[in-house]
């Protein structure tokens, strides 16, 4: 046995419950016709007798009769309520049997069950091994095919998919280089923008410095004028000092002359005496 | 009985509508106005401008690699994008595009370092904002969390929805999970041969993990084919469901081996171009949203993120929705309006 027998043959024939599921779904769908019927209802008490069975007990028959009308009454009431809410829809509209809906329900259930069944069938080591072997065979086959195709194309001097791929790769490389260049240009733009900003700030500083220099220059001019004035004053003082010095010398010489004349006078006085 | 008589006109209309819907052209997508601001290889960074800008922090969205992000702009009135721009956010969406054979070597590391990181930088430059809120959906959430762990860009908020983080919790049947983890499949060889995983394979993977037989949407369509609104919604949903995109071999390899088999992200062993992805590096405000009826990403895959991050402000929400209906029904928008609104001021 290829597939895992424990999962599959270890169970009952309907182990995936597909059949019972379908039967249940079918029975459910039949209920749509049974608005006025319930199990055992709609028959006269004689009917079972005709089929060979014993008639239902009178009490049960009464109860069934009651039940058969209850459902109709409920359905009627529900329809009446819905009609008053939705406006205008009749009982027939509300409960129209749509075979597509039933078919859809069946198909969905069938699909679900079948998928589960496939997964339970294939979820074993044997299935994995088979898939592995078949993929290896496929790979080997494709390898051979590609090799032969390549060789045939070479002989016929025809370009192959590989050649086209290589050409496309070159285009991609060029595109990548262009992208890299664009990014470099961006970086350059950024750095130019940054140096522009730097330059403008430097120019700003320089103009401020120039301003300050001019200010200093005017201040210096003023200062030099003051210095010049001081210098001329000093020169005057120097000159005055020189005059004073010559006066001092004159005074000294006068002093000397005076002392000499005094001495001469005193001598003359002594001689006269 | 009058109620059981077949209405011929209705039946003709039903079958005509059914056949037209199944075989008809794809419905229009991307209703919210947007503008492409950057392209790299197949990826595009879209900008959805705010209707009336209320928040300075833009929103950056990363979607999964498996599908198109059109589910985030599903239909007028049922769109995450529309909701966000109406709330006053500038939104940026990174659309991975459709990978070609030449992209087979692109792996998760490349997607994060070369695409998400650069796209966030572009979004920041385009918006002139100083911070960004990152939203990741499904596998996009895993990428967003990985990126947030290594990001140098300022991330204010990180929001991840239906996100797989802890891959030790699997949505696969147990024997298949064991087989994959034990290395029964020679994944490297298959990836090397295929190169880029085609959309049909991607769809097959998801189908086998969730429901191998998938007829119920068609049955429902036939049952309700006369309901115009339902048919329109069905068309959009069907287009998105069937719109799987190819997955690069490199990304698939890392996804199956590094994440699924070895669970490297939770263990802190995942690296991006040599840089270790430590989820403890995430300090942004965090919101994790899981869906109760998600049979693809169970709650157990997302919740561990709460304990792995260092964020002081972190919230976990379990929403009564499915993997896709979370975005489609507007539930995510309601959550974002409250949480993101209070965290973007």
């Amino acid at each position: 046995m290829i597939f895992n027998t424990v999962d599959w043959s270890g169970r009952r024939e309907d182990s995936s419950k597909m059949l019972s599921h379908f039967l249940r779904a079918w029975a459910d769908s039949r209920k749509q016709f049974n608005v006025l019927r319930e199990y055992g209802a709609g028959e006269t008490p004689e009917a079972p007798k005709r089929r060979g069975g014993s008639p239902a007990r009178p009490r049960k028959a009464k109860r069934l009769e009651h039940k058969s009308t209850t459902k109709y009454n409920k359905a009627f009431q529900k329809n009446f309520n819905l009609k008053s809410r939705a406006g205008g829809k009749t009982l027939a509209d509300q409960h129209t049997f749509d075979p597509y809906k039933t078919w859809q329900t069946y198909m969905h259930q069938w699909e679900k069950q079948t998928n589960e069944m496939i997964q339970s069938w294939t979820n074993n080591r044997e299935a994995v091994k088979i898939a592995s072997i078949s993929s290896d065979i496929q790979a080997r086959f494709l390898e051979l095919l590609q090799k032969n195709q390549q060789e045939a194309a070479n002989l016929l001097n025809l370009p192959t998919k590989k050649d086209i791929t290589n050409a496309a790769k070159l285009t991609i490389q060029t595109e990548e280089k262009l992208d890299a260049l664009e990014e470099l240009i961006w970086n350059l733009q950024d750095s130019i923008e940054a140096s522009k900003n730097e330059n403008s700030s430097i120019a700003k500083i320089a103009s401020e410095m120039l301003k300050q220099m001019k200010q200093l220059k005017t201040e210096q001019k003023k200062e030099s004028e003051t210095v010049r004035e001081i210098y001329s004053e000093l020169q005057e003082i120097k000159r005055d000092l020189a005059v004073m010095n010559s006066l001092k010398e004159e005074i000294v010489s006068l002093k000397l002359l005076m002392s000499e004349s005094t001495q001469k006078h005193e001598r003359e006085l002594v001689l006269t005496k | 009985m009058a109620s059981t008589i077949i209405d011929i006109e209705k039946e003709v209309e039903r079958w005509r509508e059914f056949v037209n819907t199944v075989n008809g052209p794809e419905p229009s997508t991307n209703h919210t106005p947007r503008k492409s601001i950057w392209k790299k290889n197949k990826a595009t960074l879209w900008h959805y401008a705010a209707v009336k800008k209320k928040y300075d922090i833009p929103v950056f969205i990363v979607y999964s690699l498996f599908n198109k992000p059109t589910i985030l702009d599903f239909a007028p009135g049922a769109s995450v994008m529309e909701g966000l721009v109406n709330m006053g956010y500038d939104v940026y969406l990174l659309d991975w595009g459709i990978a070609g054979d030449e992209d087979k070597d692109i792996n998760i590391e490349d997607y994060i370092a070369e695409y998400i990181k650069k796209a966030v930088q572009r979004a920041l430059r385009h918006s002139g904002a100083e911070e960004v809120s990152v939203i990741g959906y499904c596998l996009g959430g895993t990428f967003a969390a990985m990126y947030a762990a290594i990001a140098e860009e300022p991330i204010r908020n990180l929001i991840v929805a239906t996100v797989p983080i802890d891959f030790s919790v699997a949505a696969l049947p147990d024997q298949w999970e064991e087989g994959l983890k034990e290395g029964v499949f020679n994944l490297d060889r298959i990836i090397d041969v295929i190169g880029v995983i085609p959309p049909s394979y991607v769809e097959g993977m998801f189908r086998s993990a969730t429901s191998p037989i998938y007829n119920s949407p068609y049955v429902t369509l036939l049952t309700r084919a006369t309901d115009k609104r339902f048919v329109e919604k069905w068309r959009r949903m069907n287009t998105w469901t069937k719109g799987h995109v190819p997955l690069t071999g490199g990304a698939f390899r890392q996804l199956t081996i590094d994440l699924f088999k070895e669970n490297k992200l939770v263990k802190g062993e995942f690296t991006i171009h040599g840089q270790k992805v430590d989820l403890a590096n995430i300090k942004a405000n965090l919101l994790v949203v899981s869906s109760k009826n998600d049979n693809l990403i169970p709650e157990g895959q997302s919740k561990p993120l709460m304990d792995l991050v260092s964020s002081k402000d972190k919230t976990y929400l379990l929403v009564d929705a499915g993997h896709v209906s979370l975005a489609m029904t507007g539930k995510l928008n309601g959550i974002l309006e409250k949480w993101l609104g209070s965290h973007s001021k």
Side-chain angles (χ1 to χ4, degrees):
Chain A
M1 188 77 181
I2 291 166
F3 295 112
N4 191 342
T5 52
V6 180
D7 279 3
W8 193 240
S9 60
R11 298 183 194 172
R12 287 186 297 117
E13 202 179 18
D14 186 26
S15 62
S16 69
K17 296 194 174 93
M18 254 181 81
L19 186 63
S20 54
H21 206 96
F22 286 164
L23 287 172
R24 206 178 309 127
W26 180 78
D28 286 346
S29 73
R30 294 291 300 159
K31 280 179 188 169
Q32 292 180 72
F33 296 107
N34 295 343
V35 178
L36 295 173
R37 289 186 67 194
E38 278 190 13
Y39 179 72
E43 290 184 324
T44 60
E46 287 73 29
K49 205 178 177 183
R50 273 202 301 275
R51 286 189 274 109
S54 55
R57 284 184 297 173
R59 191 169 164 270
K60 195 177 176 187
K62 265 188 188 173
R63 182 68 192 147
L64 288 172
E65 195 184 351
H66 166 71
K67 274 174 97 178
S68 69
T69 49
T70 312
K71 195 159 186 181
Y72 173 78
N73 288 339
K74 275 185 182 170
F76 181 79
Q77 188 60 42
K78 191 181 169 190
N79 180 58
F80 178 78
N81 293 340
L82 280 172
K83 198 177 159 190
S84 55
R85 250 184 290 164
K89 281 195 175 177
T90 63
L91 180 68
D93 290 333
Q94 291 291 323
H95 293 277
T96 304
F97 169 64
D98 184 356
Y100 287 98
K101 282 271 176 214
T102 315
W103 178 62
Q104 188 189 17
T105 316
Y106 283 152
M107 288 306 287
H108 282 183
Q109 282 165 356
W110 175 80
E111 187 182 293
K112 193 169 172 268
Q113 293 281 316
T114 313
N115 283 333
E116 280 172 12
M117 192 172 74
I118 290 168
Q119 285 190 340
S120 80
W121 268 354
T122 53
N123 189 22
N124 53 64
R125 298 301 284 187
E126 286 83 0
V128 176
K129 194 77 197 151
I130 287 169
S132 158
I133 292 165
S134 55
S135 69
D136 276 346
I137 293 167
Q138 194 194 8
R140 178 77 192 130
F141 172 73
L142 283 171
E143 272 170 3
L144 274 171
L145 193 74
Q146 283 172 4
K147 197 182 158 195
N148 292 336
Q149 209 177 17
Q150 190 73 28
E151 276 171 12
N154 279 344
L155 286 171
L156 294 166
N157 207 16
L158 289 172
T160 59
K161 202 173 177 183
K162 224 177 202 173
D163 299 320
I164 297 164
T165 301
N166 289 338
K169 271 184 184 170
L170 287 176
T171 320
I172 296 164
Q173 279 172 15
T174 317
E175 197 188 43
E176 276 172 5
K177 276 175 191 164
L178 279 174
D179 260 2
L181 273 173
E182 195 183 16
E183 276 164 27
L184 275 176
I185 290 166
W186 279 358
N187 289 344
L188 267 172
Q189 270 181 338
D190 286 349
S191 54
I192 288 167
E193 200 67 35
S195 59
K196 245 185 184 176
N197 292 341
E198 230 170 86
N199 283 349
S200 67
S201 65
I202 287 169
K204 215 176 176 183
I205 293 167
S207 72
E208 263 177 41
M209 277 175 75
L210 212 73
K211 229 184 207 175
Q212 277 179 345
M213 291 266 280
K214 270 182 187 171
Q215 218 175 328
L216 277 171
K217 224 176 170 182
T218 42
E219 270 173 33
Q220 204 186 2
K221 252 183 191 172
K222 278 179 194 169
E223 292 291 320
S224 59
E225 265 173 32
T226 327
V227 168
R228 216 175 290 139
E229 273 170 26
I230 293 166
Y231 181 74
S232 60
E233 273 172 28
L234 276 171
Q235 288 292 333
E236 258 178 57
I237 292 165
K238 211 178 166 183
R239 267 197 305 271
D240 289 348
L241 267 171
V243 171
M244 277 172 80
N245 276 341
S246 63
L247 269 172
K248 200 180 168 183
E249 274 170 15
E250 271 175 31
I251 289 165
V252 170
S253 61
L254 273 171
K255 251 184 179 176
L256 274 170
L257 279 172
M258 271 178 74
S259 65
E260 273 174 19
S261 65
T262 328
Q263 277 174 358
K264 205 177 171 183
H265 188 71
E266 273 175 2
R267 227 179 284 139
E268 278 174 1
L269 274 172
V270 171
L271 286 172
T272 53
K273 269 179 188 177
Chain B
M1 213 157 91
S3 59
T4 54
I5 291 170
I6 295 168
D7 183 345
I8 302 291
E9 271 180 35
K10 194 179 171 187
E11 289 312 308
V12 170
E13 171 71 16
R14 183 197 300 276
W15 282 94
R16 196 167 53 89
E17 201 63 52
F18 177 77
V19 173
N20 286 347
T21 308
V22 172
N23 300 314
E26 287 188 2
S28 62
T29 49
N30 303 314
H31 310 275
T32 314
R34 63 180 187 171
K35 213 173 109 186
S36 154
I37 62 160
W38 179 59
K39 273 179 191 279
K40 183 185 168 82
N41 194 3
K42 313 294 179 317
T44 310
L45 181 63
W46 295 102
H47 173 227
Y48 297 76
V51 173
K52 194 179 172 188
K53 197 168 171 178
K54 195 177 159 191
Y55 301 98
D56 288 333
I57 300 170
V59 175
F60 183 89
I61 301 181
V62 189
Y63 191 66
S64 174
L65 282 179
F66 295 111
N67 280 85
K68 289 176 190 163
T70 45
I71 194 74
L72 299 175
D73 199 8
F74 186 66
S79 156
V80 175
M81 296 299 169
E82 191 188 32
L84 284 169
V85 294
N86 286 341
M87 280 177 223
Y89 293 98
D90 263 337
V91 184
Y92 294 88
L93 168 75
L94 182 60
D95 183 346
W96 298 113
I98 296 167
D101 224 42
E102 61 278 10
D103 305 318
K104 65 179 181 185
D105 297 323
I106 299 177
N107 57 22
I108 294 176
E109 294 178 39
D110 299 326
Y111 276 128
I112 292 164
E114 303 294 329
Y115 289 77
I116 298 181
K117 194 178 172 69
K118 302 247 176 205
V120 170
Q121 285 171 355
R122 299 256 170 179
L124 279 169
R125 194 175 179 92
H126 184 263
S127 63
E130 286 174 1
E131 285 177 299
V132 66
S133 296
V134 178
I135 300 179
Y137 202 95
C138 188
L139 188 64
T142 317
F143 287 6
M146 285 176 175
Y147 162 66
I150 60 151
E152 286 156 5
E153 294 72 29
I155 301 175
R156 167 83 77 97
N157 305 304
L158 174 66
I159 301 160
V160 285
T162 63
V163 60
I165 295 288
D166 185 356
F167 288 82
S168 65
V169 183
L172 281 174
D174 56 344
Q175 293 295 320
W176 284 82
E177 185 194 339
E178 271 176 35
L180 279 166
K181 285 184 177 168
E182 284 167 12
V184 172
F185 291 92
N186 191 351
L187 289 169
D188 275 323
R189 188 181 182 185
I190 302 163
I191 294 164
D192 284 340
V193 173
I194 297 174
V196 172
I197 317 296
S200 55
Y201 282 39
V202 175
E203 192 180 352
M205 275 191 314
F206 285 110
R207 281 278 152 271
S208 55
T210 52
S211 48
I213 290 176
Y214 190 61
N215 288 328
S216 50
Y218 296 96
V219 173
T220 311
L221 175 67
L222 188 61
T223 310
R224 298 180 64 183
T226 48
D227 180 348
K228 297 271 182 212
R229 272 183 68 188
F230 174 79
V231 171
E232 185 55 31
K233 198 176 162 189
W234 189 93
R235 278 177 69 213
R236 289 184 188 286
M237 190 62 201
N238 192 54
T239 307
W240 180 79
T241 316
K242 297 267 173 197
H244 286 284
V245 288
L247 181 66
T248 64
F252 185 63
R253 198 189 308 267
Q254 281 201 307
L255 198 63
T256 46
I257 297 170
D258 290 355
L259 294 179
F260 184 76
K261 195 174 159 190
E262 294 174 17
N263 205 12
K264 280 186 177 175
L265 182 59
V266 169
K267 290 178 189 166
E269 292 166 5
F270 196 85
T271 54
I272 293 173
H273 293 173
Q275 195 179 351
K276 200 173 150 190
V277 178
D278 187 359
L279 293 173
N281 289 340
I282 299 176
K283 292 181 180 76
N285 304 323
L286 177 74
L287 172 67
V288 181
V289 186
S290 285
S291 295
K292 265 185 201 169
N293 310 318
D294 193 340
N295 52 6
L296 209 59
I297 311 292
E299 191 194 354
Q301 283 197 353
S302 311
K303 212 172 178 181
L305 181 62
M306 297 296 289
D307 302 323
L308 293 168
V309 297
S310 309
S311 313
K312 281 177 189 163
D313 184 336
K314 47 186 176 182
T315 312
Y316 179 77
L317 287 176
L318 183 62
V319 185
D320 196 5
H323 186 72
V324 179
S325 64
L326 177 68
M328 227 175 67
T329 53
K331 280 185 181 165
L332 187 62
N333 270 355
I335 293 164
L336 291 177
E337 192 169 9
K338 276 185 196 163
W339 193 88
L340 195 58
S342 62
H343 287 78
S344 296
K345 282 167 189 167

